[in-house]
Amino acid sequence: MALSTTCQGAHTTPSPSGHYLASIPPGTNKLRIHTTHAPDRCTDVSLRISAKDITGLQWNSESNRIVVASAKLIEVIDLDDADHRIRLDNGSGGFGRFANAEFVGSELLLVVWEFGKAKLWDLTTGKGVDLADVKGSCAGARWQLRPGREGRTGTLALLSRIGAEDVLNLYLPATQKLVGAVKLPTVDAQSIAWSPNGRWIGVLDVGTASRGVHFLTPDGNLYRSYPAAKESETLGLGIKAIVWAQNSQLVALTRFDGSIVLLNTRTFAPRAVIEHTTTIDQRANTSSELQAPIWEETVPASGERSYAVVPQPFSPPLSRTKTTTEPAELGIAEATFSCDGSWLATRDERMLNTVWIWNMATLNAHAVLVQHSNVRKLHWHPTRPDELLLDCGEGIAHFFSPISSNPPTIIPASISPTATLSYLHSPFDSNPAVLATTKSIFRILHPSGQLEDPPTPPPHREPASSSSSNPAKAAAEAEASFISGASEDSLFDVLSGRKPLPPKTDQSYTERIDFEVETEEDTSTGVDDTFREKRTNTTKPQQVERGVVDWEDDSEIF
């Protein structure tokens, strides 16, 4: 077991490749990029957005761009070319604050305002295309990208509401065109979810709807609804969430009554119903050899944690033992499949410290884990189907393997109990890592030990705009080369250790440009050009070519 050094940083976000981490150092207007192998190896990039205003960070699919979002300004940082900046200004804020900014693939950015307006920006051309307004009152995902083949961007499904009807809008991000707008048979749609193989769209209706879930084909045609009309219930709450297995062979529908319905994905007929009972007793139905072991964690006064098998019948402690005026949560708190769909881990709102592990081959309970504290989150390893991480909000990682007869392994992360634990996708499957984060610090836990050699970074990719086709940028690069004596290294080269970090002697080219831009903004209005290093000698600012934009929308990308 190995622990990294504790690093300062807020909004810590790992890259999809697993090689890098992005964070915001406290008290600075900078973006810091760390290597996951050695988080103390890092480099900073200056930002226009104040640290206190940042609402989130997100990487693109190729792990070479980062979007830094705030309520009024969005910045996109290109790690292949730190001088290449794209900024989206909210203007007068006629549609409210920026509520969300997410990459769609690698070159497109989906921006949603707080009042529901959505726009898809092409980061290569700087053009924005209006999408249908996003539905506001939803409990889950309001848009989702269809899982596609590597290198291809799938269909973007977006949920909106026109009058009293829910509409599912389907867009092709590559062409930025609407290919379908389907009226949904829902009362008040709450979320949408693509199946991992991209063959189905699950639409979840409000819990009081008699037909709680609708399954549609990729082009928006309704295929099945559950429950069917003749099986629809008239009283009580119905479906709470849709959970797809990663192999797309099963879909789990969690219910407000504490049960889970498993449907096959060919006909969407029920395959099994899982029940969570407040008293676990398998003696009458199963032989002692096939009974699910119940592992209970105990913490004595000495603080040494351990697990012991408890005999059946056993009643897990209830989550709420004291009366309160707060309404109690109902149904299933969490359900998650392993990466190959062979295991299902679940929690019930009535017993939040208890985790059930279900075998999808036998459809029986395989093990029950009773923790000392309430479980906050369950995480299956992204590539190992037999490794489950339990985060109990104690700054301690609990690892459990369903194929082993051993109890969970306890590994302290040596960080604040408020830290959030999650698996960090690693390029090396033999060396899984866990990311522990708080609001201001983070560290990485290596349960199997740390690799001696640092991971190989992704191949360097040249910027989309070459200097030969861009005279203004070529002149800027020539000036930077003349001043520094050599062209600037990419952040990938510095982080990977292939080139040392140059000593800080004077203002960098980027900092000088930032200073010039800030100085000119005091006496002028508007935007100079699409990218800030491409400047002209005209007195009137150059306006960016606009896409399909409403006249009230004064947001600009530059």
Side-chain angles (χ1 to χ4, degrees), residues 336-371:
T336 177
F337 284 97
S338 61
C339 62
D340 66 348
S342 57
W343 306 100
L344 176 66
T346 62
R347 292 190 297 126
D348 190 287
E349 290 283 3
R350 297 168 296 176
M351 301 160 282
L352 291 177
N353 67 332
T354 305
V355 179
W356 276 263
I357 313 296
W358 306 89
N359 189 329
M360 292 294 96
T362 63
L363 298 177
N364 291 323
H366 179 77
V368 180
L369 311 178
V370 182
Q371 298 297 117

Side-chain angles (χ1 to χ4, degrees), residues 23-72:
S23 70
I24 303 298
T28 66
N29 295 352
K30 295 181 180 296
L31 173 70
R32 180 165 292 173
I33 311 298
H34 312 255
T35 60
T36 54
H37 178 77
D40 52 347
R41 179 187 295 174
C42 58
T43 186
D44 292 346
V45 180
S46 298
L47 298 173
R48 288 279 190 89
I49 307 175
S50 175
K52 62 182 179 62
D53 296 330
I54 294 174
T55 57
L57 308 176
Q58 195 204 24
W59 294 79
N60 70 344
S61 58
E62 295 184 5
S63 300
N64 64 344
R65 282 180 173 175
I66 306 172
V67 60
V68 184
S70 68
K72 296 181 179 180

Side-chain angles (χ1 to χ4, degrees), residues 292-366:
I294 303 174
W295 296 99
E296 184 179 22
E297 183 187 24
T298 58
V299 184
S302 62
E304 297 181 0
R305 298 172 179 266
S306 62
Y307 283 91
V309 177
V310 297
Q312 299 185 24
F314 177 77
S315 296
L318 299 179
S319 300
R320 305 181 69 170
T321 57
K322 297 181 180 180
T323 58
T324 176
T325 57
E326 294 283 336
E329 293 288 340
L330 301 175
I332 302 301
E334 186 178 7
T336 177
F337 284 97
S338 61
C339 62
D340 66 348
S342 57
W343 306 100
L344 176 66
T346 62
R347 292 190 297 126
D348 190 287
E349 290 283 3
R350 297 168 296 176
M351 301 160 282
L352 291 177
N353 67 332
T354 305
V355 179
W356 276 263
I357 313 296
W358 306 89
N359 189 329
M360 292 294 96
T362 63
L363 298 177
N364 291 323
H366 179 77

Side-chain angles (χ1 to χ4, degrees), residues 144-157 193-201 218 244 246 248:
Q144 197 174 71
L145 193 65
R146 180 186 183 185
R149 299 177 183 176
E150 187 175 356
R152 296 179 57 185
T153 302
T155 306
L156 175 66
W194 283 96
S195 63
N197 60 9
R199 295 181 179 180
W200 306 102
I201 309 174
W244 292 94
Q246 291 301 312
S248 299

Side-chain angles (χ1 to χ4, degrees), residues 36-348:
T36 54
H37 178 77
D40 52 347
R41 179 187 295 174
C42 58
T43 186
D44 292 346
V45 180
S46 298
L47 298 173
R48 288 279 190 89
I49 307 175
S50 175
K52 62 182 179 62
D53 296 330
I54 294 174
T55 57
L57 308 176
Q58 195 204 24
W59 294 79
N60 70 344
S61 58
E62 295 184 5
S63 300
N64 64 344
R65 282 180 173 175
I66 306 172
V67 60
V68 184
S70 68
K72 296 181 179 180
L73 183 65
I74 294 172
E75 286 194 76
V76 180
I77 311 300
D78 192 330
L79 300 191
D80 286 326
D81 184 3
D83 288 335
H84 180 180
R85 296 296 183 88
I86 301 174
R87 297 188 179 96
L88 177 60
D89 191 277
N90 197 20
S92 61
F95 298 104
R97 300 171 296 176
F98 287 132
N100 197 279
E102 291 188 13
F103 280 107
V104 177
S106 178
E107 304 293 339
L108 300 176
L109 185 68
L110 175 63
V111 178
V112 179
W113 282 259
E114 64 175 327
F115 297 149
K117 179 178 175 58
K119 182 175 264 188
L120 193 63
W121 292 93
D122 189 324
L123 301 182
T124 303
T125 64
K127 294 182 179 180
V129 176
D130 287 334
L131 306 183
D133 289 354
V134 177
K135 185 175 180 180
S137 58
C138 288
R142 298 176 291 174
W143 65 87
Q144 197 174 71
L145 193 65
R146 180 186 183 185
R149 299 177 183 176
E150 187 175 356
R152 296 179 57 185
T153 302
T155 306
L156 175 66
L158 185 145
L159 192 62
S160 63
R161 191 171 182 88
I162 301 176
E165 294 181 327
D166 293 318
V167 177
L168 181 67
N169 299 277
L170 301 174
Y171 296 90
L172 288 179
T175 61
Q176 300 183 356
K177 292 183 178 179
L178 177 68
V179 294
V182 182
K183 293 183 180 180
L184 297 173
T186 53
V187 177
D188 186 9
Q190 296 298 300
S191 66
I192 57 176
W194 283 96
S195 63
N197 60 9
R199 295 181 179 180
W200 306 102
I201 309 174
V203 180
L204 176 66
D205 207 345
V206 68
T208 54
S210 58
R211 305 176 71 182
V213 177
H214 305 275
F215 297 100
L216 291 76
T217 59
D219 56 356
N221 291 318
L222 179 64
Y223 179 73
R224 288 285 190 276
S225 296
Y226 183 87
K230 60 181 180 181
E231 301 172 353
S232 299
E233 300 177 1
T234 56
L235 298 176
L237 296 176
I239 310 299
K240 187 175 183 179
I242 304 173
V243 183
W244 292 94
Q246 291 301 312
N247 58 10
S248 299
Q249 295 180 4
L250 288 175
V251 59
L253 306 180
T254 66
R255 298 176 59 89
F256 285 96
D257 62 3
S259 65
I260 299 177
V261 181
L262 298 176
L263 307 179
N264 69 66
T265 55
R266 290 188 176 183
T267 61
F268 292 100
R271 182 180 175 185
V273 177
I274 294 175
E275 298 281 353
H276 294 81
T277 60
T278 55
T279 299
I280 304 173
D281 189 358
Q282 296 177 305
R283 295 174 300 172
N285 302 327
T286 309
S287 62
S288 58
E289 294 80 8
L290 299 178
Q291 290 179 10
I294 303 174
W295 296 99
E296 184 179 22
E297 183 187 24
T298 58
V299 184
S302 62
E304 297 181 0
R305 298 172 179 266
S306 62
Y307 283 91
V309 177
V310 297
Q312 299 185 24
F314 177 77
S315 296
L318 299 179
S319 300
R320 305 181 69 170
T321 57
K322 297 181 180 180
T323 58
T324 176
T325 57
E326 294 283 336
E329 293 288 340
L330 301 175
I332 302 301
E334 186 178 7
T336 177
F337 284 97
S338 61
C339 62
D340 66 348
S342 57
W343 306 100
L344 176 66
T346 62
R347 292 190 297 126
D348 190 287

